[in-house]
């Protein structure tokens, strides 16, 4: 009995001590510097209209979403979440892509072997490569469907015309990203698909051959092409895409919100 | 005369009696206006100097108009003049009508989170069961038959079988792209209702169908030598 009491009191003491430490941590300058005044991580969250606003207002989400949206805008049957899903797939592709970059060298002598080793000898290597591949195809589809959805709702009409233009650019960049990634495994599928694709490019009048030469790093696909497309795929195109996405999302809010009539 | 509640009247009378007992000779004078029913009854709570300040106005009007709510000392007994009545719409430029809005948290964020979760789950499960293709090492001396572009370019490759490469690879897709970019500037119809946009919707649907059919023919109905085949006879020549 006495022992039980003793245990209880140590447990309680520990609990109290933890509570005190928590309070101390939340009162510290470091904590206050991380979370803005009004952040739910300072005051705790209980469901109230004020706290619902604070969740957005005092976090980085405020860059993406306003505090309130029209009730119509959250109707899933209207937007089908396609724009958001495209963005999320981009994030998923970035995460899986960074993983793949640790195991891949973009030279004709090493690329295919690296992927072979990735699939057979690296933990989760096969799964992550599969996810990267399928998410890429899904992203092309979701971006296209997003465009179709916007068109059929007439959501490109004033004042949203320019955002439609940005959106078409984003579709082009998505296709380019997918196409540059297609070469990287350096297998028969990659080589000949890209051969067919770039041959078409050469027929562009005036500067077609020059553009093809710059993109391939020569007159034919080779190890230089692989390096160029790798840099395009992992750095340059994502960089451009992120800038265009930022403008796209900003205009979505400025032009009247995520969906629905103005 | 307004009805004074019984308990209030009782209290006032008690107070008055108390005051009379305290002040002696003054009591009858203070009692006289109270009896007429017009003067305030709780005189004992207000300091005398403040009470004096109010007396000229009430003293002036009380004899003039009995019964009427006598207030103010303007020309016609008013203290304010009404200049004009202005309707709110003409001076307040109301641009926003109140809208039915919901908080982003939780209404929108929960939906977004669930959508992200669903697509992650789908991608992961699909990736567990279906492997991405990895054919043998690239070989410049061994052209696979057929050689196909990625599926989203197969519409273009299909066009190549029908037109000169410059037309199929540059002119047609270039025109399509320009039209797509220009769509919001060419479509002057302000309506967003489907019944008002029959032409625009038909045109875009035809455009989409054109590419969809080409992509499907290129993907599934083209065999060795990029010749037309039926997938149920010749098999599938298609890799993602």
């Amino acid at each position: 009995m006495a022992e039980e009491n003793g245990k209880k009191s140590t447990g309680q003491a520990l609990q109290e001590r933890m509570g005190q430490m928590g309070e101390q941590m939340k009162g510290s300058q470091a904590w206050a510097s991380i979370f803005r005044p009004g952040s739910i991580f300072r005051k705790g969250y209980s469901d109230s209209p004020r706290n619902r606003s604070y969740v957005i207002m005092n976090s980085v989400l405020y860059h993406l979403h306003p505090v309130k949206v029209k009730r119509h805008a959250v109707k899933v049957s209207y937007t089908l979440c396609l724009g958001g899903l495209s963005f999320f797939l981009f994030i998923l592709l970035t995460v899986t892509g960074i993983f793949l970059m640790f195991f891949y060298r973009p030279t004709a002598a090493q690329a295919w072997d690296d992927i072979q080793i990735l699939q057979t000898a690296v933990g989760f290597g096969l799964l992550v490569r599969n996810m990267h591949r399928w998410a890429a195809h899904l992203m092309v589809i979701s971006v296209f469907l997003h465009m179709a959805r916007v068109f059929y709702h007439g959501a490109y009409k004033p004042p949203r015309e320019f955002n439609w233009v940005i959106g078409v650019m984003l579709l082009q960049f998505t296709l380019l990203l997918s196409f540059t990634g297609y070469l990287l495994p350096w297998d028969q599928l990659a080589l000949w698909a890209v051969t067919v694709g770039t041959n078409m490019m050469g027929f562009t009048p005036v500067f077609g051959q020059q553009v093809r030469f710059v993109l391939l790093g020569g007159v034919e696909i080779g190890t230089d092409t692989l390096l160029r497309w790798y840099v395009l795929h992992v750095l340059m195109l994502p960089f451009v895409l992120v800038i265009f996405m930022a403008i796209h999302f900003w205009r979505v809010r400025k032009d009247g919100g995520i969906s629905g009539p103005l | 005369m307004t009805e004074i509640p019984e308990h209030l009247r009782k209290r006032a009378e008690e107070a008055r009696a108390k005051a009379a007992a305290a002040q002696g000779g003054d009591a009858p004078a203070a009692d006289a206006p109270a009896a007429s029913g017009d003067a305030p009854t709780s005189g004992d709570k207000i300091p005398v100097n403040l009470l004096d300040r109010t007396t000229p106005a009430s003293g002036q009007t009380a004899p003039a108009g009995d019964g009427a709510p006598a207030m103010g000392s303007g020309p016609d007994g008013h203290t304010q003049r009404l200049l004009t009545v202005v309707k709110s719409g003409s001076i307040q430029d109301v641009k926003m009508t109140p809208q039915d809005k919901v908080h982003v948290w939780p209404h929108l964020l929960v939906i977004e989170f669930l959508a992200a979760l669903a697509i992650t789950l789908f991608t992961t499960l699909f990736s567990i069961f279906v492997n991405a293709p990895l054919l043998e090492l690239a070989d410049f001396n061994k052209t696979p038959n057929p050689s196909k572009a990625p599926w989203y370019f197969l519409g273009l490759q299909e066009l190549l079988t029908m037109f000169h490469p410059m037309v199929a690879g540059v002119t047609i897709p270039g025109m399509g792209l320009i039209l797509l970019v220009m769509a919001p500037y060419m479509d002057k119809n302000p309506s967003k209702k489907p019944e008002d946009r029959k032409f625009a919707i038909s045109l875009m649907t035809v455009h989409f169908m054109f590419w969809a059919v080409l992509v499907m023919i290129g993907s599934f109905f083209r065999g060795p030598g990029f010749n037309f085949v039926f997938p149920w006879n010749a098999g599938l020549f298609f890799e993602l």
Side-chain angles (χ1 to χ4, degrees):
Chain A
M1 194 68 189
E3 262 185 34
E4 218 177 353
N5 272 340
K7 265 183 195 170
K8 226 177 208 173
S9 63
T10 40
Q12 276 174 343
L14 195 69
Q15 214 166 25
E16 270 175 36
R17 182 111 182 83
M18 294 291 280
Q20 276 176 359
M21 277 171 66
E23 289 302 309
Q24 224 168 17
M25 191 174 65
K26 287 194 173 178
S28 71
Q29 190 191 352
W31 192 270
S33 70
I34 296 168
F35 300 107
R36 286 184 47 71
S39 163
I40 55 164
F41 296 108
R42 275 208 200 180
K43 294 179 164 180
Y45 183 81
S46 59
D47 195 22
S48 68
R50 182 206 271 271
N51 273 341
R52 287 178 175 202
S53 304
Y54 278 175
V55 168
I56 304 295
M57 261 159 69
N58 293 301
S59 72
V60 75
L61 285 172
Y62 206 22
H63 277 286
L64 196 61
H65 285 311
V67 168
K68 282 182 164 189
V69 289
K70 281 164 271 179
R71 188 179 291 280
H72 170 88
V74 296
K75 257 176 80 178
V76 177
S77 59
Y78 191 81
T79 63
L80 305 173
C81 280
L82 285 165
L85 280 182
S86 306
F87 180 45
F88 182 74
L89 283 168
F90 177 77
I91 293 171
L92 191 65
L93 283 162
T94 308
V95 173
T96 52
I98 289 171
F99 177 89
L100 296 178
M101 279 174 75
F102 284 115
F103 306 102
Y104 178 82
R105 288 164 294 180
T107 65
Q110 294 162 316
W112 189 86
D113 287 332
D114 283 350
I115 292 194
Q116 189 68 32
I117 291 165
L118 171 81
Q119 293 196 157
T120 51
V122 175
F124 297 105
L126 179 61
L127 178 72
V128 176
R129 180 178 174 239
N130 290 347
M131 284 176 73
H132 195 75
R133 185 87 172 195
W134 302 133
H137 286 311
L138 273 179
M139 186 176 163
V140 172
I141 294 169
S142 76
V143 170
F144 169 77
L145 288 179
H146 177 53
M147 187 188 74
R149 198 283 292 174
V150 166
F151 183 86
Y152 285 121
H153 280 143
Y156 57 87
K157 300 201 170 187
R160 293 184 172 122
E161 314 101 300
F162 185 66
N163 219 14
W164 167 270
V165 176
I166 299 278
V168 175
M169 307 283 274
L170 284 172
L171 174 66
Q172 301 305 309
F173 287 126
T174 306
L175 290 178
L176 279 177
L177 263 169
S178 179
F179 190 50
T180 49
Y182 219 82
L183 180 69
L184 301 185
W186 202 246
D187 60 349
Q188 281 288 75
L189 180 64
L191 176 65
W192 294 99
V194 170
T195 304
V196 171
T198 50
N199 279 346
M200 266 189 267
M201 207 185 313
F203 288 106
T204 311
V206 188
F207 50 80
Q209 284 302 326
Q210 280 85 338
V211 169
R212 185 170 178 275
F213 188 87
V214 169
L215 273 178
L216 296 188
V219 287
E220 276 194 347
I221 295 174
T223 191
D224 292 336
T225 318
L226 197 51
L227 179 61
R228 284 186 188 210
W229 286 41
Y230 177 71
V231 174
L232 284 175
H233 183 75
V234 303
L235 213 59
M236 193 184 137
L237 289 172
F239 174 71
V240 177
L241 193 79
V242 164
I243 290 175
F244 274 75
M245 279 197 303
I247 300 171
H248 196 64
F249 298 163
W250 172 69
R251 283 302 297 250
V252 165
R253 278 181 69 175
K254 288 292 167 187
D255 294 344
I258 52 174
S259 82
L262 297 170
Chain B
M1 255 313 56
T2 49
E3 282 270 316
I4 299 172
E6 189 58 36
H7 66 284
L8 285 181
R9 201 210 305 278
K10 215 177 229 174
R11 200 160 67 187
E13 267 164 13
E14 275 170 18
R16 216 173 289 133
K18 203 175 163 188
Q23 298 201 348
D26 257 18
D31 219 26
S36 77
D38 224 343
T41 52
S42 58
D44 57 339
K45 285 277 175 70
I46 302 169
V48 182
N49 60 334
L50 290 182
L51 203 62
D52 283 348
R53 232 193 269 177
T54 60
T55 41
S58 60
Q60 214 177 44
T61 49
D66 206 8
M71 47 189 291
S73 50
D76 294 317
H78 294 296
T79 53
Q80 299 154 16
R81 280 187 296 160
L82 184 63
L83 291 177
T84 178
V85 175
V86 182
K87 285 183 180 170
S88 68
S90 57
I91 52 167
Q92 292 173 324
D93 189 11
V94 181
K95 280 180 180 165
M96 300 281 282
T97 48
Q99 276 174 325
D100 190 14
K101 286 194 166 186
V102 292
H103 274 99
V104 165
W105 168 259
H107 295 277
L108 182 57
L109 286 189
V110 164
I111 293 170
E112 285 178 339
F113 179 73
L114 289 179
L117 208 61
I119 200 84
T120 311
L121 205 66
F122 173 78
T123 314
T124 311
L125 285 178
F126 194 80
S127 299
I128 287 172
F129 294 112
V130 187
N131 284 340
L134 183 67
L135 309 186
E136 61 268 38
L137 177 66
D139 186 350
F140 290 97
N141 300 317
K142 219 166 76 183
T143 310
N145 191 8
S147 302
K148 288 189 178 182
W151 64 270
Y152 38 85
F153 288 151
L154 278 181
L156 290 178
Q157 201 178 346
E158 184 61 29
L159 280 179
L160 271 177
T161 62
M162 308 178 210
F163 301 102
H164 183 267
M166 214 190 92
V167 177
V170 181
T171 314
I172 293 177
M175 290 292 287
L177 197 62
I178 288 172
L179 288 179
L180 204 61
V181 169
M182 299 292 289
Y185 303 100
M186 295 185 302
D187 183 2
K188 299 283 185 195
N189 175 8
S191 173
K192 289 181 182 174
K193 289 179 186 155
E195 58 266 32
D196 298 337
R197 306 176 58 226
K198 282 180 181 151
F199 179 70
I201 287 179
S202 321
L203 200 65
M204 194 54 130
T205 307
V206 167
H207 186 220
F208 285 158
M209 285 304 115
F210 171 73
W211 287 108
V213 167
L214 284 184
V215 165
M216 279 201 252
I217 293 176
S219 301
F220 306 124
F221 295 89
R222 289 291 178 181
F226 217 67
N227 290 317
F228 191 89
V229 294
F230 287 110
W232 46 89
N233 292 335
L236 212 55
F237 298 89
F238 181 62
E239 292 274 10
L240 271 173

